[in-house]
Amino acid sequence: MNFLKYVKQETEVIRQKDPAIKSNWEVLLYPTFWALYHYRRAHKLYEKGHFYRARKISQRAARKTGIEIHPGAVIGEGFFVDHGHGVVIGETAIIGNNVTLYQGVTLGGTGKEHGKRHPTLGDNVMVGAGAKVLGNIKIGNDCKIGAGSVVVRDVPDDCTVVGIPGKIVVQDCKRLIENLDQVTLPDPVAAEFCKLKDENERILKRISKLEKQVAENRDHMIIN
């Protein structure tokens, strides 16, 4: 790819996804800019069978940017890594268009698979900070994975996943990808605690009612 064309393309992507950027020149300071640029170079070499040269480029880029992208991975257009430190993308990972990853994300394997052993992400996917997506699984289009989640199973389209292990949370069948706020996510663990609390209160009320009935029956027997 022509470098100037690449600069223009990535400037549009970064301006769209990061409100912190103030000028077009700042795009040159973004780790995602250089990580993706070197990945594109390395990927072309990898496809031609020049594996050593491809890995050499990718490892240099990883040391400089903190973003490790294996040259064998397949990445679509509109890809963006926010901050980027600690991001790891495995060899057989496939990433669709308009995907955003935050710092600390791993698209990795489980250590037990051969062949296709890394995740496939659809279009318009957001993966929150520190999340781990592991194994040969598929994350559907328009999905959102909450910060710190660990996902090891397929996720259908239009879902939000949170927790360890990741659980799918559906909210009125609405697409949540339009909102990139990582904080205002549903909390299934807290929801389970609320259910347990409500159930415990119902049991305590039932026990109190039974104790009252037993006491009344005892008093009635004594009187008789």
Side-chain angles (χ1 to χ4, degrees):
M1 178 186 291
N2 178 276
F3 184 73
L4 292 179
K5 182 179 179 181
Y6 175 76
V7 171
K8 182 179 179 181
Q9 177 180 298
E10 288 305 300
T11 299
E12 292 176 357
V13 172
I14 293 173
R15 275 199 168 276
Q16 180 183 359
K17 296 192 174 185
D18 189 358
I21 188 170
K22 300 298 189 294
S23 70
N24 290 344
W25 286 109
E26 289 181 59
V27 72
L28 300 175
L29 304 176
Y30 276 72
T32 185
F33 174 88
W34 293 108
L36 191 58
Y37 174 70
H38 292 302
Y39 156 77
R40 301 290 187 198
R41 293 175 56 217
H43 184 65
K44 288 181 179 179
L45 291 171
Y46 188 88
E47 289 184 318
K48 294 177 180 179
H50 303 305
F51 303 124
Y52 176 80
R53 291 173 61 192
R55 289 298 301 275
K56 188 175 181 180
I57 291 173
S58 69
Q59 288 302 303
R60 283 180 175 176
R63 289 193 294 270
K64 291 180 178 180
T65 66
I67 302 171
E68 183 173 346
I69 307 175
H70 194 287
V74 177
I75 300 177
E77 300 299 322
F79 179 69
F80 177 65
V81 181
D82 197 347
H83 296 292
H85 291 285
V87 168
V88 177
I89 300 174
E91 178 184 17
T92 60
I94 299 175
I95 299 174
N97 297 322
N98 193 35
V99 171
T100 298
L101 307 182
Y102 285 82
Q103 66 271 20
V105 167
T106 298
L107 305 182
T110 63
K112 300 178 181 179
E113 299 171 307
H114 297 279
K116 180 71 170 73
R117 59 193 185 278
H118 299 105
T120 296
L121 275 58
D123 298 336
N124 307 315
V125 172
M126 191 224 59
V127 185
K132 313 300 177 186
V133 186
L134 306 175
N136 181 20
I137 61 174
K138 293 183 179 180
I139 308 299
N141 299 326
D142 304 299
C143 284
K144 186 175 184 180
I145 297 174
S149 300
V150 177
V151 185
V152 293
R153 294 183 180 179
D154 290 350
V155 178
D157 295 346
D158 303 311
C159 286
T160 294
V161 178
V162 295
I164 304 176
K167 294 183 179 180
I168 296 173
V169 180
V170 180
Q171 289 189 323
D172 301 325
C173 298
K174 291 176 62 178
R175 292 186 179 184
L176 303 178
I177 190 63
E178 295 175 1
N179 175 17
L180 294 182
D181 181 4
Q182 299 181 80
V183 178
T184 54
L185 292 172
D187 187 345
V189 176
E192 289 298 322
F193 274 116
C194 287
K195 287 172 62 178
L196 288 172
K197 181 180 178 182
D198 292 340
E199 185 176 349
N200 185 57
E201 289 179 353
R202 287 195 297 270
I203 291 173
L204 290 175
K205 288 180 180 179
R206 179 62 177 166
I207 291 174
S208 177
K209 184 176 180 180
L210 289 173
E211 288 177 342
K212 185 177 180 180
Q213 290 178 349
V214 169
E216 289 176 351
N217 290 336
R218 184 174 60 248
D219 292 343
H220 182 71
M221 290 176 64
I222 292 174
I223 293 173
N224 291 337

